[in-house]
Amino acid sequence: KSHFLYYLSTVVVSAVSFPSFHSATTYFCNLHFSFHLEVERRRERDMILSALLTSVGINLGLCFLFFTLYSVLRKQPWNSAVYAPRQIAKQRRKSQNGGDEEEEEDGFFNFDMLLPSAGWVRRAWQVSEDELLCRSGLDAVVFIRIFVFSSRVFAIGGAIGIFVLLPVNYLGNQLSIDFYDLPNKNLETFSISNVNDGSNWLWVHFSAAYIFTGVVCYLLYYEYNHISLRRIASFHSSPPQPRHYTIVVRGIPSSEGRSFSEAVQAFFTDNHPSTYLSHMVVHRTSKIRSLIKDAEKLYRTLARAKSQSSQQINKKDRLLGLFQGRDTDVSHYEQKLEDLERNVRTEQHSLTGGLPKTSVEVPAAFVSFKSRFGAAVALHMQQGLDPTEWLTEEAPEPRDIHWSSFSSSFMKRWISRIVVVVACVALTILFLIPVVLVQGLANLEQLETWFPFLKGILDLTIVSQIVTGYLPSLILQLFLYLVPPVMLMLSSMEGYLSSSSTEKSACTKVLWFTIWNIFFANVLSGSAFYQVNIFLEPKNIPKILAEAVPGQATFFISYVVTSGWTKLSSEISQLTSLLWSYVTGVFSSNDDEEIEVPKLPYHSEIPRILFFGLLGTTYFFLAPLILPFLLIYFCIGYITFRNQLLNVYEPKYETNGRFWPIVHGSTIFSLILMHVIAIGIFGLKKLPLASTLTVPLPILTLLFNEYCRRRFVPLFQYYPTESIVKKDKEDQNRPNMAEFYDKLVTAYRDPALLPVQYARNNSSLSSPLLQSQV
């Protein structure tokens, strides 16, 4: 009320002092905006220390519960498909290939199986990086290095923040403080807001910002260098791989009386005569893939029906003929599966010889060369006079190809990417609705205004602490679960040729969506008009961020605890997968059914980790109380995901560390954001000299980023000529290169054109459907 009276008196007194209507309008808009920010800032200070401790206590209890459940459930033999699917799938593949039979689990009861233990923590910790690289690939190593990098950063930053900055903040008297009433303390008393304006103690924060920036840049350089060396070493130690000898050619020009296959052969024979090996033109196989998908689904249904029939056939009721219907169902499924196989075979033959080639071929092909250097030369040179024809791209791994993207033209891909950008912007704007609702939950007064009948309940201390300290971040997290699959779907519409490229694009989209909608939308709380108005006046950005960011520290501390700690504990316990396995086990008892080993969803996990890194970097000198919670998150995440990568997740593709530039870029952005806020906060605290001396920090950080971009990014885009030529010379002495070239010719054959045989073995189905053109 007092702030409103001050605001009203300021308007009345100032109304007569402006020479023009435009200047008066500008002043009143800025004053109204400042008033709105101040009101929102005061509302966000409602959470006291006891409310935060309530949130921490709830999440600690959930974490302890989930980790205890995991340590018990993982020992039960019937849960192996959930907690160790990689080992189960490996054993079954080995037995199917004529290896040792799968070991039977011990069926005797053992009391130790019901006791929680931490042996899995020791095993996950002891695995070396080289062993993790061998078992899960360089992408998994890069993912774990994010936790290593973040732990080092916030261990150093936490030591500075907790032992230096936090006492300085707490001993200030800018805010009214009762030192003996700690549980009821407002959390802002632990932030820079409590330091007196113009105090020399603010130079401690200034020095800390420089030290922290230097530490982060040094560790960034160290990690970038380490991972780039790992990438080159992985290339040198790997056996010959088809993707290193192959490129993708799109935009093949059509001509009368000649197929795309003939055009490719003629073009590369003329222009690359000494290095060209073979090619494989892409065909339109969407209908065949749909039929194969139906056949696979029917095959699984048939396997379950046979399993249930074989179990019941031994019962005495079989003598009465009660299960004759079950046998009829099995026969029906077998006949239907044979019909599907026949349809698939017919469609495959129509593609390989039944229809004109121009109607079934796509203007795209995989072109293979005799050496890596030959493929690299063709990749980096413009092939045709028209830059929209004979377009070359790196060939992905055969298992990584997204076959349905080949049919899109250059113009269609260009339009699709524009549509995706518009859709992402629209989704970002619409997501502000749940953000506003979450802000209302964090403010008890606003919540009582919306729902007057809850006033009596909200007056209870424990209820108010749970509502302000736990529910907002929990509800926001539930909404965020919908974002990664939507972004992955939008990225798949952009026409990327590989699943890895699609996931990288989705990772970037999810990251910036999270930064805008979780950080800026909460910090710059208010209508869309106020958020847009900030960026229309760039000179006011440091001041506005400095006013708004410190007041949201309490929310983000709760968010780290709720979204971070609990997410890691639910990740290790896999309760959703466990319940689903129990439900499906009731309806299916086929132990021989193939286990689907999941892959790590990089597009959702990496943005979450990087967003927590942004919070820690931004609030390092503003509210260092957040740093211990972040450090705990990164330490738990390190152990948790090492365990999951060894036992649960299996790589479906390998980019050789290409996710790391996203990590580097996000960290640089976090540093720049911290610097901008520092400039504003020192100005608000009436220390203009410190504000001026902070200006070189973002400039130096951007120069460091430019150096890293020139030094390391080319190594993550393509392999250097020196490494390629050296590897080609080494392979000349390999005795099995002739065999590799034979396999290279058919490495990029569309799986939809391979023979299918579900119903029964048939020798007529074993011959290849499509030969490569040489």
Side-chain angles (χ1 to χ4, degrees):
K1 184 185 297 183
S2 62
H3 186 72
F4 175 74
L5 292 176
Y6 169 75
Y7 165 73
L8 184 62
S9 64
T10 304
V11 171
V12 174
V13 171
S14 304
V16 296
S17 61
F18 292 98
S20 65
F21 174 77
H22 178 266
S23 59
T25 303
T26 303
Y27 174 79
F28 288 142
C29 287
N30 291 335
L31 181 62
H32 179 65
F33 182 56
S34 300
F35 168 75
H36 176 82
L37 280 177
E38 179 63 23
V39 171
E40 291 296 330
R41 185 183 175 198
R42 292 189 176 191
R43 286 177 176 176
E44 295 300 335
R45 296 175 184 173
D46 287 343
M47 183 188 288
I48 60 177
L49 184 60
S50 58
L52 174 64
L53 294 177
T54 301
S55 176
V56 172
I58 292 174
N59 286 279
L60 274 178
L62 290 175
C63 290
F64 180 78
L65 175 63
F66 286 147
F67 279 101
T68 302
L69 283 175
Y70 171 74
S71 65
V72 174
L73 293 174
R74 60 179 294 273
K75 299 178 182 179
Q76 315 309 317
W78 50 85
N79 294 332
S80 298
V82 176
Y83 296 116
R86 288 194 66 175
Q87 282 78 358
I88 300 299
K90 182 178 179 180
Q91 291 175 0
R92 291 191 176 181
R93 286 193 294 264
K94 188 175 180 180
S95 62
Q96 290 173 358
N97 294 331
D100 297 334
E101 294 186 0
E102 186 177 339
E103 295 181 4
E104 295 291 334
E105 298 286 351
D106 188 2
F108 294 100
F109 175 76
N110 189 346
F111 185 73
D112 290 339
M113 296 172 61
L114 301 179
L115 295 178
S117 62
W120 63 274
V121 176
R122 184 183 67 257
R123 286 189 290 272
W125 177 272
Q126 291 176 344
V127 173
S128 65
E129 188 174 279
D130 291 332
E131 184 177 354
L132 182 63
L133 175 66
C134 180
R135 297 177 62 175
S136 298
L138 187 57
D139 287 337
V141 172
V142 168
F143 182 75
I144 295 299
R145 295 299 298 189
I146 302 176
F147 287 101
V148 174
F149 165 74
S150 302
S151 300
R152 290 172 175 171
V153 166
F154 293 111
I156 300 173
I160 299 173
I162 297 301
F163 297 109
V164 178
L165 298 179
L166 194 65
V168 172
N169 295 340
Y170 187 73
L171 295 176
N173 55 13
Q174 182 73 23
L175 305 176
S176 58
I177 298 178
D178 180 7
F179 288 93
Y180 300 100
D181 190 20
L182 189 61
N184 293 321
K185 281 283 184 293
N186 191 299
L187 291 183
E188 200 164 13
T189 60
F190 299 94
S191 71
I192 197 174
S193 301
N194 194 43
V195 181
N196 294 348
D197 292 347
S199 172
N200 287 329
W201 285 110
L202 289 171
W203 288 103
V204 176
H205 298 79
F206 170 83
S207 302
Y210 264 90
I211 294 173
F212 184 74
T213 301
V215 168
V216 173
C217 290
Y218 170 77
L219 291 176
L220 266 180
Y221 180 86
Y222 175 82
E223 291 295 333
Y224 225 148
N225 185 63
H226 176 78
I227 294 173
S228 62
L229 292 177
R230 276 285 189 184
R231 175 176 164 84
I232 298 300
S234 176
F235 172 75
H236 282 294
S237 61
S238 64
Q241 297 182 17
R243 60 176 172 165
H244 296 155
Y245 291 80
T246 306
I247 64 172
V248 176
V249 179
R250 305 174 78 173
I252 303 172
S254 59
S255 59
E256 290 285 341
R258 189 165 68 167
S259 66
F260 291 127
S261 178
E262 293 169 345
V264 171
Q265 184 173 1
F267 182 87
F268 282 93
T269 301
D270 293 340
N271 296 287
H272 300 269
S274 61
T275 58
Y276 168 69
L277 177 65
S278 64
H279 71 276
M280 182 72 69
V281 172
V282 181
H283 291 70
R284 305 181 191 277
T285 57
S286 56
K287 184 177 181 180
I288 298 178
R289 284 195 296 270
S290 178
L291 290 173
I292 292 177
K293 186 177 180 180
D294 293 339
E296 291 175 347
K297 187 183 301 182
L298 185 60
Y299 176 74
R300 288 191 292 268
T301 303
L302 175 62
R304 287 193 294 268
K306 285 184 175 180
S307 176
Q308 294 173 1
S309 177
S310 63
Q311 286 184 356
Q312 294 175 345
I313 201 171
N314 295 325
K315 296 184 179 180
K316 294 182 179 180
D317 294 338
R318 176 64 178 165
L319 298 175
L320 301 178
L322 297 179
F323 299 100
Q324 187 67 36
R326 178 70 64 181
D327 294 338
T328 304
D329 290 342
V330 171
S331 300
H332 171 71
Y333 289 143
E334 288 179 342
Q335 182 60 43
K336 193 173 181 180
L337 185 59
E338 290 180 3
D339 294 339
L340 271 177
E341 287 185 5
R342 193 176 298 108
N343 293 337
V344 170
R345 189 69 180 176
T346 301
E347 291 294 331
Q348 290 174 336
H349 275 298
S350 67
L351 287 183
T352 56
L355 294 175
K357 290 187 176 182
T358 54
S359 64
V360 297
E361 290 182 343
V362 174
F366 293 94
V367 181
S368 299
F369 296 83
K370 300 175 183 177
S371 66
R372 298 177 182 86
F373 183 75
V377 170
L379 175 65
H380 296 293
M381 294 182 63
Q382 180 177 320
Q383 298 299 319
L385 297 177
D386 187 347
T388 63
E389 297 178 347
W390 298 107
L391 303 176
T392 58
E393 299 179 35
E394 256 189 322
E397 292 179 298
R399 60 177 179 173
D400 189 24
I401 298 174
H402 194 249
W403 291 97
S404 59
S405 299
F406 282 96
S407 58
S408 58
S409 63
F410 175 83
M411 183 60 65
K412 183 179 179 181
R413 294 195 303 272
W414 184 72
I415 295 175
S416 297
R417 296 189 179 183
I418 296 177
V419 172
V420 168
V421 171
V422 174
C424 290
V425 173
L427 181 62
T428 301
I429 296 174
L430 291 176
F431 196 81
L432 291 175
I433 297 175
V435 171
V436 171
L437 295 177
V438 166
Q439 291 173 351
L441 284 177
N443 182 6
L444 291 179
E445 293 180 0
Q446 188 172 348
L447 196 60
E448 291 175 357
T449 303
W450 289 351
F451 307 102
F453 57 90
L454 295 177
K455 185 175 182 180
I457 300 176
L458 294 176
D459 288 339
L460 299 175
T461 303
I462 185 65
V463 174
S464 64
Q465 291 178 355
I466 291 176
V467 170
T468 60
Y470 183 73
L471 284 183
S473 54
L474 177 63
I475 295 175
L476 189 60
Q477 183 63 25
L478 293 177
F479 279 106
L480 281 175
Y481 277 125
L482 302 176
V483 175
V486 172
M487 292 302 182
L488 189 62
M489 179 194 68
L490 292 176
S491 296
S492 65
M493 296 168 55
E494 294 182 287
Y496 292 106
L497 297 183
S498 63
S499 300
S500 59
S501 299
T502 302
E503 193 161 3
K504 273 185 58 183
S505 175
C507 179
T508 304
K509 292 182 178 63
V510 174
L511 173 61
W512 295 113
F513 179 93
T514 305
I515 291 175
W516 175 257
N517 278 287
I518 306 304
F519 184 79
F520 286 108
N522 277 281
V523 166
L524 308 176
S525 53
S527 64
F529 168 77
Y530 292 110
Q531 297 181 29
V532 173
N533 184 65
I534 292 173
F535 295 97
L536 292 179
E537 299 182 8
K539 64 180 181 179
N540 293 331
I541 290 177
K543 177 184 176 182
I544 293 172
L545 290 177
E547 290 177 342
V549 171
Q552 290 289 342
T554 55
F555 171 79
F556 287 123
I557 292 175
S558 177
Y559 181 81
V560 169
V561 173
T562 304
S563 177
W565 293 8
T566 309
K567 176 62 175 66
L568 289 177
S569 58
S570 61
E571 166 68 33
I572 197 71
S573 60
Q574 295 283 314
L575 289 182
T576 303
S577 301
L578 183 66
L579 293 175
W580 178 250
S581 69
Y582 287 162
V583 171
T584 55
V586 173
F587 303 98
S588 174
S589 57
N590 183 18
D591 295 333
D592 296 330
E593 189 172 351
E594 184 178 356
I595 294 178
E596 183 176 355
V597 183
K599 73 176 185 67
L600 182 62
Y602 292 114
H603 68 287
S604 60
E605 295 300 335
I606 291 180
R608 179 183 293 109
I609 303 169
L610 297 182
F611 180 68
F612 288 144
L614 180 140
L615 292 180
T617 304
T618 305
Y619 282 99
F620 159 70
F621 75 102
L622 296 177
L625 191 62
I626 197 175
L627 299 178
F629 300 102
L630 283 170
L631 184 59
I632 293 173
Y633 167 79
F634 289 121
C635 292
I636 296 176
Y638 175 79
I639 295 297
T640 298
F641 279 104
R642 281 174 71 95
N643 177 81
Q644 299 299 87
L645 287 169
L646 293 172
N647 299 310
V648 178
Y649 296 121
E650 186 175 59
K652 303 299 182 183
Y653 58 78
E654 180 61 51
T655 69
N656 282 334
R658 284 181 169 174
F659 282 99
W660 184 257
I662 299 176
V663 179
H664 180 90
S666 174
T667 307
I668 293 294
F669 174 82
S670 302
L671 285 175
I672 299 297
L673 182 61
M674 182 192 75
H675 301 155
V676 172
I677 296 173
I679 294 172
I681 203 74
F682 290 135
L684 289 177
K685 286 293 183 178
K686 297 180 175 56
L687 201 66
L689 180 58
S691 181
T692 303
L693 293 178
T694 307
V695 172
L697 260 183
I699 299 175
L700 293 174
T701 303
L702 290 175
L703 290 175
F704 166 77
N705 179 61
E706 180 64 17
Y707 170 77
C708 290
R709 188 182 69 82
R710 293 177 179 271
R711 168 68 176 82
F712 296 113
V713 170
L715 295 177
F716 284 79
Q717 293 176 337
Y718 307 105
Y719 293 108
T721 301
E722 181 180 359
S723 298
I724 291 176
V725 173
K726 180 180 178 180
K727 190 67 174 171
D728 283 339
K729 290 180 179 179
E730 292 176 356
D731 287 344
Q732 290 177 358
N733 300 322
R734 282 181 175 268
N736 57 348
M737 285 303 295
E739 181 182 354
F740 168 75
Y741 286 132
D742 291 339
K743 294 181 179 179
L744 179 60
V745 171
T746 59
Y748 286 94
R749 178 180 295 152
D750 193 336
L753 297 177
L754 296 177
V756 294
Q757 36 188 328
Y758 292 110
R760 61 181 182 273
N761 292 327
N762 193 331
S763 59
S764 63
L765 302 180
S766 60
S767 59
L769 294 167
L770 185 65
Q771 299 293 340
S772 174
Q773 290 79 16
V774 181

